[in-house]
Structure formats: structure tokens, C-alpha cells
Amino acid sequence: MLQEVLEPARSDNPMAAPAFIAGQWSRDGTPAERIGPHLRKVVTRFASATDGQVTRAVEFAARNTKAVADLAPASRATILERAAKLAAEHRDDLARMIARELGKPLKDGRGELDRVADTFAVCAGETRHIGGDVLPVAGWARGTGNTAMTYRAPAGVALAITPFNAPANLLAHKLGASFAAGNTTLVKAPPQAPATTTAIVALLLEAGMPPEAVQLLHGGGDVGAKLCAAGEVAVISFTGSAETGAAVARAAGAKRLVLELGGNAATLVCADADVTHAAKICARTGYSNSGQSCISVQRIYVHRSRFDEFLDVLRAEVATLKVGDPLDPTTDVGSMVDEDAATRVEKWTAEAAAQGARVVLGGTRDGATLHPTIVAEPAPDATIVVQEVFGALVAVLPFDDLGEAIEACNRSRFGLQAGLFTHDVRTIINAWRDLQVGGLVVNGSSNYRLDHIPFGGVKDSGFGRESPAPMIDDYTVVKTLILRGMSVWGDR
């Protein structure tokens, strides 16, 4: 099936994205199409799951938890290692698929597939370390003469709901970690990237993942809500907007949740920073994937003494970015997910200008392609400062006192990740302590992530940490064994 899914990506023909339910590929359901935002024509045909298919998938998953749990960690790790190799082998085809479905430039898609390969490899390594503990039970009088141990057991049925902006790598995180933990997983694909999601599932099956371990359903929020509400589901991992995350939590009820939600990422440039270096990094990371990343550089606070210098370099660097065809390997900025998204950011830019901000660059669009936009000195309550832009726009604001800049950052309801440019250790420690974010990148922008270290936010940016090791913790349950009258510690 993997070759069958990938073949149309090499041409201009529409791609097919079948579902995978109860161990079988299926094209049944309610017919639907994905219009490519740059190509402006049908790029993928798929079918949204019916109520009956959702029920069938959930019941199949519940019946097959033991079949997956019985696979030894070494067997799961071997499969994930094969998946890592396949992701690397099919990197270009998958990047082309992403470009057609989402308008993401080939260079960004290839970078995403490099991360997919790494993520599967990290999941494999973490699988080999799943274990437990011998507890210090004999340290208390009532525990004398006994032994107690724990191990991490699969949660059972996991649900992975993935977003459009990094459909391959974020699925690798969720599904890779869930399988590493020994679960069977229900995947609800984003409607904007059905073929890409199908390809990653097919790749894992090609690598040897048993059909009992994964099911793939297409559809919108109604399908996701039904899956969230299913009593058989033990744990849910969701990446998306804060509003949809709240809906997931309501539908899920008393289930374990890992929610990676929105962001309004800030980067601070201090007076002692290498301003040219900072501006170049912000230019490169503020517009990758057209700014459609929860940690994309959105707000840059620059010390007033370096503000004009920073803005000049930033403008010059952003002006060099090549905007256009995402299938051109030299393109830096492709299109946004759809025309409505680009129109929204264009409107917010105009609103900021009407409030007195300067549009230094961009502010216009061509269909779903928003030209890289820089807005200087917007009002503190401007929409582009307060809300998550999730588009190819960066706002630059001056500050005089770092404490006030940190307070401005913290006024956001989001708190995912921030960047900080400085060489002062005290400033770094203070910012790490005081910024209300899940992660701080020093001498880098907010838009930097290593897939093998904890990643997640606070406030409306969600809870839980999305990287293989902490996700395996979320996807497993601790089971305790107490041996009465048998002690490895001595009994006197």
C-alpha cells in the first residue's frame, strides 16, 4: 500500500487517501476532497468516517489491546527502527505530498521528514528502556519483610488527533510513542493532510507494525468528538488550537489527556545581543511553513537602543526570502493552509496599521500565499500581539526594561515557548524563572525544537509534554506488585 499511496505524489494526479479500519484498507465513507492551497485544484480524495466505521474501529481496538501488548519491547523497537529507515528512503516523495496538500515548501517538507526519521529512531530507543522499579518498601516498619516492585504497562487504546501544520512528524510522535508503549492506536487525520497521514500509517505497516496496532480514520471535528467520547479509549493526545483542545477535553471526560495547544511565541533581544545574528535567525524562523507553527516567531521585543538596527537587518533578510511555488526546491515561503487563513492575517495587519503600527514589509497576499509581513510597533492590544497569528507575520516591539518586556510576554494567555538573545547569565536565569512558558531557547528564537527533549506549554498552551520519553509515561500505567513475606532487604 505504501507504494500505491506514494505513486500519485510523483505526478500531478489526485492522490488517494484510504482509511485503515479493523485491519483493512477502506475507501468507504462520505466522499471528500482536499483542494491544494497553492495549486487551487483537487490534490487528494478521501472518505470521512461514518458513525458505523467509528464504532467498528473502536471495538476492534478494544479487542486487540493484548495482541499489541504481547509484543516484546525489542520487537516494537525493531519495527520503529525500520520505520525510521523507510522515512529517510521516501523523504522526497513524502515532502512532495506535503507540498501539494498544504503548500509547505519542499525544503521544509524534507526537513520534516528528517525529523520523522529521527522521531521513530528515538521512539525505538525509548522502547528498549521501558521498565520499572524495586521500591524502598523496607525503609518503613510496616514494609519490613516485604518486597514491592512496579512496571509500566500499556494504557490500552490510545487516540492520536494530529494537526495539519506538521502532519508527518507530529503523527510520528504520537503514534510512535503509543506503539512503543505497547498500545493499539486510533488515528484521526487532519482533513487538510489526509494523504500524508495515510502515507505515514502505510509506512509503519510496511515496517512491520501489526494491523492490530493502528487504525486510521478521516473526517472533521464530528469524527474526532465521537472517538474522544468512546469509553474504550484510555488516553488522548491532541495537537491543535486551544478552543478545539477544550472541546476535546469536554468530549473525553475522565480520560488521560496530552494537549499541545496554541502559542503566541515571543523572542526577546537584549541590548548586549548580537543583533545581526538575532535578526537573521528570526527572519529564517519567523516565516518557515508560512509561520504556521505554534512556536513560530510572532512577537519580537527588542531593546530600544538596538531597535532600529535590528529592524533594518530583519527587513533586509526577510526581503531575500523566495516566495512562490512550494514544489520549487528553492522556495522559502509557500502558501498558507487555505485562502481564509491568509485573508485573516491580511485583515489583522490592516487593523494594526489603522491603530498606528508601521507595516515595514508585506501585508498583502496572492490567494492563500501571504507575502512575508513585518509590523513595527503595534499597539499592545492589537490583535497581532494578543492572539495567535499562525501566519507569515512578525510583530517587532521596543522595550526599555527587561522586566517590563517579560511582563508583556506573560500577559498572553498562551505560554508554549520563548526565545532570548543575550550573553548575560543572570538575565538568562531570571528569564528562565520568570517567563511563563514551557521552554526557553537562549541565543535562538522561539521556533526551535529538539524532538527527543520535553516539549509543551502552560496556561492555554496545554499540558503534558510531547516527546517520546514523557509521552511513553503518559501512554502507560504504573502497576505495582507487593510480595508479602518475601524480602530482598532482610526482615529484622
Side-chain angles (χ1 to χ4, degrees):
M1 177 55 74
L2 179 59
Q3 290 300 329
E4 184 178 333
V5 171
L6 291 176
E7 184 61 36
R10 302 172 189 136
S11 68
D12 292 329
N13 297 324
M15 300 177 288
F20 188 70
I21 301 173
Q24 301 291 326
W25 290 103
S26 171
R27 289 176 170 80
D28 296 336
T30 305
E33 295 176 333
R34 168 63 179 164
I35 306 294
H38 180 79
L39 297 173
R40 306 185 193 188
K41 64 180 183 180
V42 175
V43 294
T44 310
R45 293 193 173 98
F46 62 103
S48 295
T50 64
D51 289 353
Q53 287 174 315
V54 171
T55 299
R56 184 179 171 213
V58 169
E59 291 176 349
F60 180 84
R63 286 197 307 270
N64 285 283
T65 54
K66 191 173 187 303
V68 184
D70 282 350
L71 276 178
S75 299
R76 295 179 225 146
T78 298
I79 292 166
L80 289 164
E81 285 166 349
R82 288 195 207 112
K85 292 178 181 178
L86 285 172
E89 289 173 11
H90 296 289
R91 173 179 183 253
D92 287 348
D93 286 340
L94 285 161
R96 183 177 172 83
M97 180 177 284
I98 292 170
R100 294 186 67 198
E101 284 198 311
L102 295 169
K104 178 185 283 192
L106 277 177
K107 62 172 64 176
D108 287 346
R110 287 168 178 162
E112 182 175 347
L113 264 297
D114 290 339
R115 292 177 63 186
V116 169
D118 285 349
T119 298
F120 283 143
V122 172
C123 287
E126 294 295 341
T127 308
R128 299 186 189 279
H129 292 103
I130 295 174
D133 296 295
V134 177
L135 305 177
V137 65
W140 283 262
R142 291 190 65 240
T144 300
N146 302 309
T147 300
M149 297 174 285
T150 64
Y151 83 100
R152 302 203 74 94
V157 179
L159 170 61
I161 303 179
T162 53
F164 73 80
N165 59 319
N169 190 42
L170 292 180
L171 177 57
H173 273 274
K174 298 176 191 300
L175 182 49
S178 180
F179 180 64
N183 296 309
T184 181
T185 309
L186 297 158
V187 175
K188 208 291 284 181
Q192 303 91 340
T196 302
T197 309
T198 296
I200 296 299
V201 170
L203 183 150
L204 282 159
L205 292 167
E206 182 87 3
M209 179 178 279
E212 295 87 356
V214 62
Q215 295 181 85
L216 166 65
L217 297 97
H218 297 291
D222 56 334
V223 174
K226 293 183 182 73
L227 290 167
C228 288
E232 294 87 345
V233 172
V235 57
I236 300 170
S237 176
F238 168 82
T239 301
S241 71
E243 291 71 25
T244 306
V248 166
R250 288 193 297 270
K255 293 185 178 73
R256 300 166 82 185
L257 299 173
V258 180
L259 302 178
E260 197 268 277
L261 307 178
N264 180 3
T267 292
L268 296 95
V269 182
C270 298
D272 69 322
D274 182 337
V275 165
T276 298
H277 175 67
K280 288 181 176 180
I281 288 181
C282 289
R284 189 169 66 248
T285 57
Y287 303 94
S288 58
N289 196 19
S290 294
Q292 295 171 125
S293 167
C294 49
I295 54 174
S296 185
V297 179
Q298 178 175 329
R299 297 177 292 160
I300 307 176
Y301 292 88
V302 185
H303 193 273
R304 194 175 299 276
S305 66
R306 312 297 300 277
F307 185 82
D308 291 338
E309 178 186 357
F310 177 90
L311 195 59
D312 287 345
V313 178
L314 180 69
R315 185 187 187 285
E317 289 293 320
V318 175
T320 67
L321 297 175
K322 182 176 179 179
V323 182
D325 184 359
L327 293 168
D328 180 343
T330 65
T331 294
D332 298 301
V333 180
S335 60
M336 294 182 63
V337 67
D338 54 40
E339 192 167 341
D340 287 346
T343 300
R344 171 181 55 79
V345 182
E346 182 185 43
K347 177 184 175 184
W348 287 1
T349 303
E351 289 176 356
Q355 291 177 290
R358 289 183 290 135
V359 179
V360 176
L361 195 70
T364 60
R365 66 178 177 86
D366 177 11
T369 301
L370 181 77
H371 296 110
T373 300
I374 300 172
V375 180
E377 300 182 83
D381 61 349
T383 304
I384 61 170
V385 175
V386 175
Q387 299 296 331
E388 180 178 31
V389 171
F390 216 67
L393 179 149
V394 169
V396 189
L397 305 95
F399 74 86
D400 297 298
D401 176 75
L402 183 63
E404 293 176 356
I406 289 174
E407 288 180 7
C409 294
N410 290 343
R411 279 196 286 273
S412 172
R413 67 188 180 101
F414 299 106
L416 190 52
Q417 193 154 282
L420 174 68
F421 287 89
T422 184
H423 297 291
D424 185 85
V425 174
R426 187 178 297 277
T427 296
I428 293 169
I429 296 300
N430 289 344
W432 189 23
R433 180 193 63 216
D434 295 338
L435 281 167
Q436 296 170 3
V437 292
L440 176 64
V441 182
V442 177
N443 291 323
S445 76
S446 60
N447 195 4
Y448 181 73
R449 178 179 178 184
L450 293 173
D451 292 291
H452 59 285
I453 67 173
F455 175 81
V458 298
K459 301 193 286 189
D460 279 1
S461 287
F463 47 82
R465 292 297 178 263
E466 275 217 356
S467 55
M471 289 187 79
I472 288 171
D473 285 348
D474 286 315
Y475 282 138
T476 53
V477 294
V478 175
K479 298 187 74 172
T480 303
L481 176 68
I482 301 175
L483 301 174
R484 296 294 307 275
M486 293 176 277
S487 176
V488 298
W489 308 107
D491 54 10
R492 288 188 293 117

